[in-house]
Amino acid sequence: MPRPSVAPPRTTAAALAAALVAALLVLLPGSAAQAAPVLLSQGRPATASSQENGALPASAAVDGDNATRWSSQFADPQWIQVDLGAAASLSQVVLRWETAYAKAYRVELSTDGASWSTAHSTTTGTGGVQTLAISGTARYVRVFGTERATAWGYSLYEFQVYGSTGTGPTLPGGGDLGPNVIVFDPATPNIQGRLDEVFARQESAQFGSGRYQFLFKPGTYNGLNAQIGFYTSISGLGLSPDDTTINGDVTVDAGWFGGNATQNFWRSAENLALNPVNGTDRWAVSQAAPFRRMHVKGGLNLSPDGYGWASGGYIADSKIDGQVGNYSQQQWYTRDSSIGGWSNAVWNQVFSGTQGAPAQSFPSAPYTTLDTTPVSREKPFLYLDGSEYKVFVPAKRENARGTSWGNGVAPEGTSLPLSRFYVVKPGASAATVNQALAQGLHLLFTPGVYHLDRTIQVDRPDTVVLGLGLATLVPDNGVTAMKVADVDGVRLAGFLIDAGPVNSPSLLEVGPAGARTDHAANPTTVQDVFLRVGGAGPGRATVGMVVNSHDTIVDHTWIWRADHGDGVGWDTNRADYGFRVNGDDVLATGLFVEHFNKYDVEWNGERGRTVFFQNEKAYDAPSQAAIQNGATKGYAAYKVADSVSIHEGWGLGSYCYYNVDPTIRQDHGFQVPVRPGVRFHDLLVVSLSGKGQYEHVVNAVGAPTSGTSTVPSTVTSFP
């Protein structure tokens, strides 16, 4: 059910003038001693004394869209203010008034949001587009109207604040990709030797600091076996996977761990065509190991050599000509792809928009099959256009089926030159990253570990934040690593956030609390963004990821409170909640959330949807009392708030392994309100080797698990 769209403006007379002013602003000269003035207000949090109705919020005046607006109630006085996030040296305010403008108003500045000084005042406002030269340093800027020019309220299409956040030179876009991005062309000597050298470092470096990205220029490469270890990504640089062909293999196996693939995390393969040497490529992975935009001209084996355990995994936008051998994989999700067939299933195999997928048959064979994916948009990727690096940003698809590429048709989307990206390298500060964003640059994080002393603020619509080689962000002093404003079309992709030793309220926040804007036409996407609490060292966070913005697509994430590694213990790496959704119409495709102290998933927004969910409850609960939730035994893996009227999920599984206290009982894996609009399909819970037990699957429905048989208890449809 769509929310009301923004009301149309009463007039569009200001649009042409606004465009002209915007163009002229680009030409304004900057002082040689200061950074060029930049637009600081767009996408920043905005508040107002009132609003005419729910379709005309304060945020619409700072969204960069001249067709949306804020409008107040029909009374004096009224105000609108914007929080720039940090103190800035201000130079200009541009007001794009709708017909309902201010005759008398003040532009006021504040460093704390409480004490205000006047930077501009008039009693003879004329409406239209007013460009005001101001000076001062402030974090908060407010337009305070004292007399309306019409019988309506005050109404602004755009409230724009310009200035600078530093005294250094403007940061450059583009540049080299750093030493840990290793680029090959077909003529590069000893490619195999370089691949083997990195693999030797990374094969067992589960919690190491090494980060690597292999990039293959378009062409054909013969006789290679690219073994992919931890924090290693391999990608082709063509616009299509078939532009870059490896006559050989891209391999993940589990020799380092005795043939057990359940810890083959944090690696990826993307945008390549493979002709496997023996006809079948091996990709034996578990969580956080995406296989995207790949063309395997043969089969794909998802198990390790010897068919040991595996607990993956994710395929998207890929074509596998032969059969996919699932074998020992406990669960797997395949989206918008084409496969020649699928063999075997263990507990939970989910397909959406996949040509050649097995028919729906859960639970007799545990296949959950959706003909299409409701909404999808593929991950941005780096490619070469001639000799120029660009980032391709794929278009949104609705009810997608099959790959977004192939058949000689160019993929739909837009290309951004690397010159529009700030290429972030290890050692860069959060302040520098935020300066680049304020200048209007996108971000490309090169492989490395980045320590943050403040939040990275992504405030501009359509900003791309792309990581290479599992670039890792660590909030050191209890800040949230990254926050996204309530704006359209932000793309977050390909990086890891690792909690620091001081508790963060959250690690990633998409949209501020109370976000209200409809983003259905151009949603924010979060893809291959992984969150970790502990493992590499002590880490703490109250919540992993919080999604406040409506219509957000979370496409493949693993949010993990560590059960092994360093800094691990019930209270040592405390993190109560993994994934919290407050926004409406949020879609999760490929949701992996594990081991949190309380709820792994809390869903408070309306009309949420999840296609595939994998979960393990926290292993290390010391006792029944430690997880007791009032009268309920344990916290559900996936909880939909009692206030929610509409929600739907397909192919969801939760497992328990309470090895510290095997007597623990968990009332259920899923807790949801019983309403006609809340529907779930193909649910399961499993007790691993009888270490703890589930009493039910969802609410009080579903048989208990029992004994040490590790056999799922299932519910095909609820209610």
Side-chain angles (χ1 to χ4, degrees):
M1 180 183 299
R3 295 177 302 282
S5 60
V6 175
R10 299 189 191 96
T11 178
T12 57
L16 183 58
L20 179 59
V21 169
L24 291 173
L25 286 172
V26 175
L27 303 177
L28 289 174
S31 166
Q34 294 186 339
V38 295
L39 177 58
L40 303 175
S41 54
Q42 189 161 300
R44 296 298 310 165
T47 54
S49 55
S50 68
Q51 63 187 59
E52 181 181 342
N53 59 53
L56 303 171
S59 60
V62 292
D63 64 1
D65 186 345
N66 291 326
T68 63
R69 60 187 174 94
W70 162 72
S71 184
S72 76
Q73 295 179 356
F74 302 171
D76 293 315
Q78 301 288 341
W79 54 263
I80 182 173
Q81 76 179 49
V82 63
D83 176 1
L84 303 178
S89 179
L90 306 181
S91 59
Q92 189 175 73
V93 167
V94 177
L95 303 175
R96 294 174 169 83
W97 293 102
E98 195 250 356
T99 301
Y101 66 93
K103 180 178 179 182
Y105 66 92
R106 303 188 298 270
V107 176
E108 299 178 327
L109 310 181
S110 175
T111 57
D112 59 6
S115 301
W116 298 89
S117 62
T118 299
H120 175 85
S121 179
T122 184
T123 59
T124 58
T126 58
V129 180
Q130 296 180 311
T131 301
L132 311 172
I134 62 170
S135 62
T137 299
R139 172 174 173 170
Y140 303 89
V141 183
R142 179 167 75 176
V143 177
F144 195 100
T146 56
E147 183 180 354
R148 290 166 291 142
T150 71
W152 297 314
Y154 299 85
S155 187
L156 283 165
Y157 288 118
E158 285 296 295
F159 169 23
Q160 297 177 310
V161 180
Y162 289 83
S164 62
T165 56
T167 57
T170 300
L171 293 170
D176 73 272
L177 300 178
N180 283 12
V181 176
I182 302 162
V183 183
F184 300 120
D185 65 42
T188 302
N190 194 28
I191 295 174
Q192 187 65 57
R194 191 71 174 105
L195 294 169
D196 292 346
E197 175 191 348
V198 171
F199 180 66
R201 295 178 195 167
Q202 299 302 114
E203 180 184 11
S204 59
Q206 182 171 182
F207 298 111
S209 60
R211 303 288 186 272
Y212 295 90
Q213 174 75 58
F214 293 122
L215 296 175
F216 284 76
K217 293 182 180 181
T220 300
Y221 300 79
N222 294 314
L224 297 181
N225 180 22
Q227 299 182 83
I228 305 301
F230 285 101
Y231 312 108
T232 305
S233 297
I234 183 169
S235 306
L237 284 170
L239 192 56
S240 165
D242 290 330
D243 293 339
T244 310
T245 297
I246 292 177
N247 291 320
D249 296 271
V250 171
T251 301
V252 178
D253 207 342
W256 74 280
F257 199 49
N260 181 342
T262 59
Q263 292 185 25
N264 279 352
F265 313 138
W266 302 304
R267 62 198 78 197
S268 66
E270 184 174 357
N271 205 32
L272 291 164
L274 305 178
N275 280 305
V277 170
N278 295 317
T280 300
D281 191 57
R282 185 184 302 277
W283 187 255
V285 299
S286 288
Q287 291 80 7
F291 197 79
R292 283 189 183 268
R293 203 177 169 78
M294 296 286 287
H295 185 186
V296 180
K297 299 177 179 181
L300 185 65
N301 184 340
L302 302 180
S303 73
D305 187 28
Y307 302 99
W309 294 344
S311 181
Y314 178 89
I315 293 171
D317 202 28
S318 293
K319 187 174 189 291
I320 293 92
D321 294 346
Q323 185 175 77
V324 179
N326 180 78
Y327 301 114
S328 56
Q329 284 288 353
Q330 295 164 352
Q331 66 278 313
W332 198 278
Y333 175 50
T334 306
R335 179 183 64 72
D336 297 355
S337 293
S338 173
I339 61 177
W342 191 277
S343 70
N344 201 49
V346 181
W347 293 334
N348 193 30
Q349 319 293 314
V350 180
F351 306 84
S352 69
T354 299
Q355 298 165 340
Q360 170 73 30
S361 57
F362 187 93
S364 57
Y367 296 134
T368 298
T369 302
L370 285 71
D371 190 56
T372 63
T373 303
V375 185
S376 57
R377 186 163 59 184
E378 300 306 328
K379 174 180 171 285
F381 60 92
L382 191 69
Y383 78 104
L384 275 174
D385 184 2
S387 61
E388 181 183 8
Y389 281 110
K390 293 182 178 179
V391 171
F392 190 78
V393 184
K396 185 185 77 168
R397 299 200 292 167
E398 295 185 0
N399 298 315
R401 182 170 172 82
T403 65
S404 68
W405 53 272
N407 301 319
V409 178
E412 294 184 7
T414 57
S415 290
L416 301 171
L418 193 62
S419 60
R420 292 180 58 186
F421 284 77
Y422 180 62
V423 179
V424 194
K425 295 175 182 172
S429 68
T432 299
V433 171
N434 282 332
Q435 181 186 344
L437 288 166
Q439 285 179 203
L441 293 171
H442 305 278
L443 300 178
L444 182 71
F445 280 93
T446 63
V449 178
Y450 298 82
H451 288 266
L452 308 175
D453 64 353
R454 66 192 70 180
T455 299
I456 295 174
Q457 300 276 358
V458 182
D459 298 328
R460 193 180 70 258
D462 299 311
T463 300
V464 177
V465 180
L466 179 61
L468 300 179
L470 274 297
T472 302
L473 312 181
V474 184
D476 285 330
N477 56 354
V479 299
T480 296
M482 185 177 292
K483 292 185 178 182
V484 179
D486 193 25
V487 295
D488 274 355
V490 172
R491 316 291 186 93
L492 309 180
F495 56 90
L496 169 66
I497 298 177
D498 206 353
V502 179
N503 187 75
S504 294
S506 61
L507 298 178
L508 174 63
E509 184 178 293
V510 181
R516 302 181 61 171
T517 306
D518 189 317
H519 302 293
N522 186 15
T524 286
T525 54
V526 182
Q527 300 178 283
D528 300 349
V529 174
F530 309 122
L531 279 62
R532 180 171 69 192
V533 183
R540 298 175 67 91
T542 303
V543 190
M545 185 189 306
V546 180
V547 179
N548 294 314
S549 286
H550 299 318
D551 308 293
T552 301
I553 301 171
V554 179
D555 176 45
H556 191 224
T557 186
W558 186 37
I559 305 172
W560 186 60
R561 177 182 166 267
D563 62 289
H564 62 276
D566 293 331
V568 171
W570 184 249
D571 291 310
T572 303
N573 63 327
R574 183 84 191 187
D576 282 350
Y577 309 103
F579 182 62
R580 179 179 291 158
V581 179
N582 299 318
D584 295 340
D585 300 292
V586 172
L587 171 66
T589 51
L591 179 61
F592 299 74
V593 189
E594 298 189 292
H595 304 154
F596 286 83
N597 295 76
K598 293 184 178 179
Y599 293 119
D600 297 278
V601 171
E602 287 185 298
W603 208 298
N604 303 313
E606 285 287 358
R607 298 177 298 280
R609 292 174 291 183
T610 296
V611 183
F612 180 89
F613 170 66
Q614 185 266 332
N615 165 264
E616 285 180 345
K617 296 301 298 173
Y619 290 180
D620 55 343
S623 65
Q624 186 76 46
I627 64 162
Q628 194 68 16
N629 181 15
T632 303
K633 296 177 220 174
Y635 290 81
Y638 190 110
K639 182 182 188 298
V640 179
D642 292 342
S643 60
V644 170
S645 297
I646 300 174
H647 188 93
E648 194 161 11
W650 298 262
L652 290 78
S654 177
Y655 323 141
C656 72
Y657 185 73
Y658 289 117
N659 63 319
V660 175
D661 182 359
T663 69
I664 287 175
R665 294 299 182 266
Q666 177 88 23
D667 263 350
H668 41 234
F670 303 90
Q671 182 180 343
V672 306
V674 181
R675 291 193 177 94
V678 178
R679 298 175 296 174
F680 283 85
H681 316 274
D682 301 355
L683 302 172
L684 66 95
V685 295
V686 179
S687 170
L688 304 180
S689 302
K691 305 292 188 181
Q693 302 287 345
Y694 288 95
E695 305 285 0
H696 304 285
V697 179
V698 52
N699 295 357
V701 176
T705 57
S706 61
T708 59
S709 58
T710 315
V711 173
S713 177
T714 63
V715 169
T716 304
S717 181
F718 182 88

